[in-house]
PDB file of all heavy atoms in Angstrom:
ATOM      1  N   CYS A  57     -45.462  35.895  33.915  1.00 94.00           N
ATOM      2  CA  CYS A  57     -45.375  37.308  33.543  1.00 94.00           C
ATOM      3  C   CYS A  57     -46.722  37.894  33.122  1.00 94.00           C
ATOM      4  O   CYS A  57     -46.884  39.123  33.105  1.00 94.00           O
ATOM      5  CB  CYS A  57     -44.350  37.490  32.419  1.00 94.00           C
ATOM      6  SG  CYS A  57     -42.646  37.174  32.948  1.00 94.00           S
ATOM      7  N   GLU A  58     -47.680  37.052  32.793  1.00 95.00           N
ATOM      8  CA  GLU A  58     -49.003  37.509  32.386  1.00 95.00           C
ATOM      9  C   GLU A  58     -50.008  37.494  33.536  1.00 95.00           C
ATOM     10  O   GLU A  58     -51.158  37.912  33.355  1.00 95.00           O
ATOM     11  CB  GLU A  58     -49.532  36.630  31.244  1.00 95.00           C
ATOM     12  CG  GLU A  58     -48.651  36.616  30.005  1.00 95.00           C
ATOM     13  CD  GLU A  58     -48.482  37.987  29.385  1.00 95.00           C
ATOM     14  OE1 GLU A  58     -49.439  38.779  29.426  1.00 95.00           O
ATOM     15  OE2 GLU A  58     -47.382  38.270  28.871  1.00 95.00           O
ATOM     16  N   LEU A  59     -49.612  37.033  34.711  1.00 97.00           N
ATOM     17  CA  LEU A  59     -50.546  36.916  35.828  1.00 97.00           C
ATOM     18  C   LEU A  59     -50.932  38.288  36.371  1.00 97.00           C
ATOM     19  O   LEU A  59     -50.109  39.205  36.403  1.00 97.00           O
ATOM     20  CB  LEU A  59     -49.919  36.091  36.962  1.00 97.00           C
ATOM     21  CG  LEU A  59     -49.673  34.617  36.674  1.00 97.00           C
ATOM     22  CD1 LEU A  59     -48.814  33.999  37.773  1.00 97.00           C
ATOM     23  CD2 LEU A  59     -50.992  33.867  36.535  1.00 97.00           C
ATOM     24  N   PRO A  60     -52.176  38.438  36.829  1.00 97.00           N
ATOM     25  CA  PRO A  60     -52.587  39.752  37.363  1.00 97.00           C
ATOM     26  C   PRO A  60     -51.795  40.161  38.601  1.00 97.00           C
ATOM     27  O   PRO A  60     -51.578  41.358  38.820  1.00 97.00           O
ATOM     28  CB  PRO A  60     -54.080  39.555  37.687  1.00 97.00           C
ATOM     29  CG  PRO A  60     -54.282  38.076  37.760  1.00 97.00           C
ATOM     30  CD  PRO A  60     -53.298  37.471  36.813  1.00 97.00           C
ATOM     31  N   GLU A  61     -51.356  39.192  39.409  1.00 97.00           N
ATOM     32  CA  GLU A  61     -50.618  39.541  40.624  1.00 97.00           C
ATOM     33  C   GLU A  61     -49.168  39.928  40.351  1.00 97.00           C
ATOM     34  O   GLU A  61     -48.535  40.600  41.171  1.00 97.00           O
ATOM     35  CB  GLU A  61     -50.600  38.350  41.609  1.00 97.00           C
ATOM     36  CG  GLU A  61     -51.958  37.870  42.050  1.00 97.00           C
ATOM     37  CD  GLU A  61     -52.435  36.662  41.240  1.00 97.00           C
ATOM     38  OE1 GLU A  61     -52.053  36.561  40.045  1.00 97.00           O
ATOM     39  OE2 GLU A  61     -53.169  35.837  41.804  1.00 97.00           O
ATOM     40  N   TYR A  62     -48.644  39.504  39.198  1.00 97.00           N
ATOM     41  CA  TYR A  62     -47.216  39.676  38.940  1.00 97.00           C
ATOM     42  C   TYR A  62     -46.995  41.005  38.219  1.00 97.00           C
ATOM     43  O   TYR A  62     -47.023  41.097  36.993  1.00 97.00           O
ATOM     44  CB  TYR A  62     -46.671  38.508  38.121  1.00 97.00           C
ATOM     45  CG  TYR A  62     -45.160  38.441  38.112  1.00 97.00           C
ATOM     46  CD1 TYR A  62     -44.463  37.974  39.219  1.00 97.00           C
ATOM     47  CD2 TYR A  62     -44.437  38.863  37.011  1.00 97.00           C
ATOM     48  CE1 TYR A  62     -43.080  37.914  39.222  1.00 97.00           C
ATOM     49  CE2 TYR A  62     -43.048  38.821  37.004  1.00 97.00           C
ATOM     50  CZ  TYR A  62     -42.382  38.348  38.108  1.00 97.00           C
ATOM     51  OH  TYR A  62     -41.012  38.303  38.110  1.00 97.00           O
ATOM     52  N   TYR A  63     -46.757  42.042  38.998  1.00 97.00           N
ATOM     53  CA  TYR A  63     -46.630  43.409  38.479  1.00 97.00           C
ATOM     54  C   TYR A  63     -45.311  43.689  37.744  1.00 97.00           C
ATOM     55  O   TYR A  63     -45.266  44.614  36.912  1.00 97.00           O
ATOM     56  CB  TYR A  63     -46.765  44.416  39.643  1.00 97.00           C
ATOM     57  CG  TYR A  63     -45.645  44.257  40.637  1.00 97.00           C
ATOM     58  CD1 TYR A  63     -44.428  44.903  40.463  1.00 97.00           C
ATOM     59  CD2 TYR A  63     -45.787  43.416  41.742  1.00 97.00           C
ATOM     60  CE1 TYR A  63     -43.378  44.709  41.345  1.00 97.00           C
ATOM     61  CE2 TYR A  63     -44.746  43.218  42.618  1.00 97.00           C
ATOM     62  CZ  TYR A  63     -43.543  43.863  42.417  1.00 97.00           C
ATOM     63  OH  TYR A  63     -42.503  43.651  43.285  1.00 97.00           O
ATOM     64  N   PRO A  64     -44.157  43.002  38.048  1.00 97.00           N
ATOM     65  CA  PRO A  64     -42.885  43.486  37.491  1.00 97.00           C
ATOM     66  C   PRO A  64     -42.852  43.578  35.968  1.00 97.00           C
ATOM     67  O   PRO A  64     -42.367  44.584  35.417  1.00 97.00           O
ATOM     68  CB  PRO A  64     -41.854  42.464  38.014  1.00 97.00           C
ATOM     69  CG  PRO A  64     -42.438  41.959  39.282  1.00 97.00           C
ATOM     70  CD  PRO A  64     -43.919  41.888  38.998  1.00 97.00           C
ATOM     71  N   THR A  65     -43.354  42.566  35.272  1.00 95.00           N
ATOM     72  CA  THR A  65     -43.213  42.568  33.812  1.00 95.00           C
ATOM     73  C   THR A  65     -44.013  43.693  33.181  1.00 95.00           C
ATOM     74  O   THR A  65     -43.481  44.461  32.358  1.00 95.00           O
ATOM     75  CB  THR A  65     -43.653  41.207  33.244  1.00 95.00           C
ATOM     76  OG1 THR A  65     -42.826  40.194  33.808  1.00 95.00           O
ATOM     77  CG2 THR A  65     -43.508  41.196  31.728  1.00 95.00           C
ATOM     78  N   ARG A  66     -45.284  43.815  33.513  1.00 97.00           N
ATOM     79  CA  ARG A  66     -46.096  44.853  32.868  1.00 97.00           C
ATOM     80  C   ARG A  66     -45.620  46.252  33.271  1.00 97.00           C
ATOM     81  O   ARG A  66     -45.688  47.193  32.474  1.00 97.00           O
ATOM     82  CB  ARG A  66     -47.575  44.663  33.192  1.00 97.00           C
ATOM     83  CG  ARG A  66     -47.965  44.810  34.642  1.00 97.00           C
ATOM     84  CD  ARG A  66     -49.483  44.736  34.825  1.00 97.00           C
ATOM     85  NE  ARG A  66     -49.871  44.797  36.223  1.00 97.00           N
ATOM     86  CZ  ARG A  66     -50.010  43.729  37.014  1.00 97.00           C
ATOM     87  NH1 ARG A  66     -49.814  42.512  36.525  1.00 97.00           N
ATOM     88  NH2 ARG A  66     -50.362  43.869  38.272  1.00 97.00           N
ATOM     89  N   THR A  67     -45.109  46.386  34.519  1.00 98.00           N
ATOM     90  CA  THR A  67     -44.637  47.695  34.957  1.00 98.00           C
ATOM     91  C   THR A  67     -43.364  48.082  34.231  1.00 98.00           C
ATOM     92  O   THR A  67     -43.209  49.220  33.769  1.00 98.00           O
ATOM     93  CB  THR A  67     -44.407  47.694  36.476  1.00 98.00           C
ATOM     94  OG1 THR A  67     -45.595  47.251  37.143  1.00 98.00           O
ATOM     95  CG2 THR A  67     -44.053  49.091  36.970  1.00 98.00           C
ATOM     96  N   GLU A  68     -42.422  47.142  34.097  1.00 98.00           N
ATOM     97  CA  GLU A  68     -41.195  47.444  33.372  1.00 98.00           C
ATOM     98  C   GLU A  68     -41.483  47.718  31.901  1.00 98.00           C
ATOM     99  O   GLU A  68     -40.896  48.638  31.308  1.00 98.00           O
ATOM    100  CB  GLU A  68     -40.201  46.293  33.512  1.00 98.00           C
ATOM    101  CG  GLU A  68     -38.839  46.606  32.913  1.00 98.00           C
ATOM    102  CD  GLU A  68     -37.827  45.518  33.168  1.00 98.00           C
ATOM    103  OE1 GLU A  68     -38.219  44.339  33.296  1.00 98.00           O
ATOM    104  OE2 GLU A  68     -36.621  45.833  33.224  1.00 98.00           O
ATOM    105  N   LEU A  69     -42.384  46.951  31.305  1.00 97.00           N
ATOM    106  CA  LEU A  69     -42.758  47.208  29.916  1.00 97.00           C
ATOM    107  C   LEU A  69     -43.329  48.619  29.746  1.00 97.00           C
ATOM    108  O   LEU A  69     -43.020  49.318  28.771  1.00 97.00           O
ATOM    109  CB  LEU A  69     -43.770  46.170  29.446  1.00 97.00           C
ATOM    110  CG  LEU A  69     -43.224  44.800  29.070  1.00 97.00           C
ATOM    111  CD1 LEU A  69     -44.361  43.793  28.926  1.00 97.00           C
ATOM    112  CD2 LEU A  69     -42.425  44.872  27.767  1.00 97.00           C
ATOM    113  N   ALA A  70     -44.156  49.041  30.694  1.00 98.00           N
ATOM    114  CA  ALA A  70     -44.746  50.383  30.615  1.00 98.00           C
ATOM    115  C   ALA A  70     -43.664  51.456  30.730  1.00 98.00           C
ATOM    116  O   ALA A  70     -43.718  52.482  30.029  1.00 98.00           O
ATOM    117  CB  ALA A  70     -45.789  50.561  31.717  1.00 98.00           C
TER     118      ALA A  70
END
Side-chain angles (χ1 to χ4, degrees):
C57 292
E58 301 299 325
L59 293 169
E61 301 97 330
Y62 194 76
Y63 64 86
T65 300
R66 64 174 177 270
T67 306
E68 187 175 29
L69 282 167

